[in-house]
Amino acid sequence: MRFRLTDEQRALRAAIRQLLDRRFGPEALRAAVDAPALDRALWRELGAAGFFALRLPEAQGGVGLGLPEAVLAFEEAGRALLPGPLLATHLAAGEEPGAADGSVAVAAVDGGGVVEWLAEADVVRGDASGAVPLRSVDPLTPLHRVPGDRGAADPVAVLLTAAEQLGTAARVCELAAQHARTREQFGRPIGAFQAVQQLCARTLVRVEVARAAVYAAAVTADPVDIAAARLLADEAAVRGARDCLQVHGGMGFTWEAEVHLHLKRAWVRTQRAGGDTESEEVLACDLVAGTA
């Protein structure tokens, strides 16, 4: 299946990328790593741009778009490594006052019992009693763990997480290709060597497969399609970042390289509700029901 974005969807994606390039480019990313904190000015600017109210009906002050457009927005956020409780705040728009316009940051206890940005949130959705801080591998995503079973994952949250993972997968594919073209060894670019070409090719294949699955799930909104998209996007992000790091060699482990931050963020996202085990169970149940 081939998906073609409409002119409006392409314009939306371009506008979000332009905003994030301007407000959260490489220098801002480095500054955030050195001093992690929720950028309230950026949060309000995202609200003014309609990021959180994207799916909220116009009658309620929202943009009035749908799930496919939200997927494009979160894909761009994942590409930029945008920090903060984006998912929880987006899902709370229209229900929590101030969430839609970015004047309030919302944290939420997801189905896996993990809470991102709990300490900096103005509103916490769900029972966060007994929350204990976790040492996060991602310096831009503070975490808390809440004990007990917190219920099933929200399919929309699962899909938008997949969209963020897709953004990371696409970005590390770009970084791998750029480095392969410019880094030289033995008098020629490392991209001339077959082993490096294979790493880049595998990364690209995973990105395009995951993209097709995520975009399809955004159209159907079917829980089974969403589960498949999440599995493919998680794999594309984590394995793609690992392969990109291999292309960079030892440089990939340094703070100067963006790729290790993408790998760490991808690891954190896999721990959200709807990850491997849950999505695999959704697919398994559907297969069993289809053969009964």
Side-chain angles (χ1 to χ4, degrees):
M1 184 180 296
R2 183 174 181 178
F3 297 95
R4 290 187 177 180
L5 302 182
T6 65
D7 291 341
E8 291 78 10
Q9 288 171 334
R10 284 194 292 270
L12 171 67
R13 183 174 62 182
I16 293 173
R17 182 172 296 190
Q18 184 178 26
L19 168 62
L20 297 181
D21 285 345
R22 176 175 57 84
R23 286 293 280 107
F24 199 73
E27 292 185 4
L29 174 61
R30 298 300 167 197
V33 170
D34 292 337
L38 187 61
D39 185 339
R40 293 288 179 163
L42 173 58
W43 210 249
R44 290 190 293 272
E45 194 164 347
L46 289 170
F51 187 96
F52 303 120
L54 204 60
R55 296 185 303 121
L56 198 63
E58 293 183 48
Q60 299 180 36
V63 181
L65 298 177
L67 195 53
E69 289 75 23
V71 160
L72 294 176
F74 273 79
E75 182 183 350
E76 289 302 313
R79 182 182 183 275
L81 277 176
L82 188 63
L86 299 164
L87 183 56
T89 304
H90 176 88
L91 294 176
E95 299 177 8
E96 297 290 347
D101 63 14
S103 59
V104 166
V106 180
V109 181
D110 74 6
V114 174
V115 191
E116 300 178 6
W117 293 89
L118 177 62
E120 298 228 29
D122 303 300
V123 175
V124 180
R125 305 184 82 192
D127 182 9
S129 57
V132 295
L134 296 178
R135 184 175 180 180
S136 177
V137 296
D138 177 13
L140 293 174
T141 310
L143 299 174
H144 283 73
R145 171 73 71 183
V146 178
D149 182 7
R150 299 292 161 169
D154 178 353
V156 174
V158 175
L159 179 60
L160 294 182
T161 295
E164 287 186 273
Q165 293 285 58
L166 174 59
T168 275
R171 178 57 179 161
V172 295
C173 185
E174 293 174 6
L175 292 172
Q178 289 170 5
H179 191 73
R181 285 194 295 265
T182 57
R183 176 67 174 176
E184 292 190 359
Q185 278 285 10
F186 308 110
R188 54 178 175 163
I190 62 172
F193 298 102
Q194 188 176 29
V196 175
Q197 293 173 0
Q198 289 174 343
L199 288 172
C200 292
R202 285 203 302 263
T203 301
L204 178 60
V205 169
R206 292 191 202 102
V207 169
E208 293 307 318
V209 171
R211 190 189 307 279
V214 171
Y215 285 9
V219 173
T220 67
D222 181 80
V224 176
D225 292 342
I226 289 173
R230 175 65 183 275
L231 289 170
L232 289 167
D234 278 354
E235 180 186 31
V238 173
R239 294 187 64 182
R242 285 177 173 172
D243 284 350
C244 179
L245 195 148
Q246 289 295 317
V247 172
H248 280 73
M251 185 185 300
F253 291 92
T254 66
W255 286 108
E256 287 75 15
E258 183 183 328
V259 57
H260 82 285
L261 293 172
H262 278 287
L263 178 57
K264 291 173 179 177
R265 182 70 62 83
W267 279 335
V268 167
R269 293 194 198 107
T270 61
Q271 299 306 305
R272 290 181 186 169
D276 286 354
T277 302
E278 293 171 74
S279 290
E280 287 168 355
E281 287 179 354
V282 170
L283 292 176
C285 289
D286 182 68
L287 288 172
V288 171
T291 58

